[in-house]
């Protein structure tokens, strides 16, 4: 049984009992992802690491390396 079928089953059961229907699948997904992101940022701050910019910095370094350009603020290493 997938999530949609379970939701339909729970909605039917709630209607038969006179209760309110459960939220649709995926209703709170964005909120959960935001809370996870905030928690991970908090954990990084507590551990003494930078709280943001890691992914963007890593991607900019990778793109600069692939294009042959020099990343600003980074020394050039001989190849």
């Amino acid at each position: 049984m997938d999530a949609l079928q379970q939701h339909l089953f729970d909605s039917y059961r709630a209607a038969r009992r006179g209760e309110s229907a459960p939220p649709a699948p995926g209703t709170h997904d964005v909120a959960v992802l935001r809370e996870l992101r905030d928690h991970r940022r908090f954990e990084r701050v507590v551990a003494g690491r930078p709280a943001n910019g890691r992914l963007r910095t890593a991607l900019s370094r990778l793109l600069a390396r692939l294009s042959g350009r020099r990343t600003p603020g980074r020394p050039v290493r001989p190849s």
Side-chain angles (χ1 to χ4, degrees), residues 3-57:
L4 181 58
Q5 291 171 339
Q6 183 66 45
H7 173 68
L8 292 173
F9 182 71
D10 291 341
S11 297
Y12 173 75
R13 186 176 5 171
R16 298 272 304 192
R17 294 180 179 176
E19 300 169 353
S20 61
T27 302
H28 303 290
D29 287 354
V30 174
V32 169
L33 291 175
R34 283 185 184 139
E35 287 180 24
L36 178 65
R37 179 196 62 197
D38 292 343
H39 179 71
R40 292 188 68 188
R41 283 182 179 172
F42 173 75
E43 290 292 324
R44 286 193 300 257
V45 168
V46 170
R49 296 188 307 261
N52 57 8
R54 292 181 349 166
L55 180 62
R56 186 172 292 162
T57 303

